[in-house]
């Protein structure tokens, strides 16, 4: 059985089943990983304040040019 593209949450939001994990990722490697993930259509990026890598994730998103609405 193929993996569904998304899972419907109770609040109606569709959460993509495939995403980019960012735990322990940092620096330019993370910026590049976020750009690459977005380039191939991944729209679920795991983030948590405790990871302390929001700045690099933001840089990757901005560099990819993908609108926040996606």
């Amino acid at each position: 059985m193929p993996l569904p593209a998304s899972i419907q949450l109770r609040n109606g939001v569709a959460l993509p089943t495939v995403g980019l994990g960012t735990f322990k990722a940092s620096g330019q490697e993370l910026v590049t990983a976020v750009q690459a993930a977005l380039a191939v259509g991944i729209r679920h990026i795991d983030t948590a304040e405790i990871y302390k890598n929001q700045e690099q994730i933001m840089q990757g998103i901005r560099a990819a040019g993908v609108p926040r609405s996606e």
Side-chain angles (χ1 to χ4, degrees), residues 10 25 35 48:
R10 289 183 184 180
Q35 285 180 279

Side-chain angles (χ1 to χ4, degrees), residues 35-54:
Q35 285 180 279
L38 292 171
V40 298
I42 291 175
R43 295 297 186 266
H44 177 186
I45 300 174
D46 173 41
T47 62
E49 187 176 352
I50 197 167
Y51 298 171
K52 305 290 185 209
N53 59 9
Q54 296 93 337

Side-chain angles (χ1 to χ4, degrees), residues 29-40:
E29 181 180 46
L30 178 54
V31 174
T32 301
V34 170
Q35 285 180 279
L38 292 171
V40 298

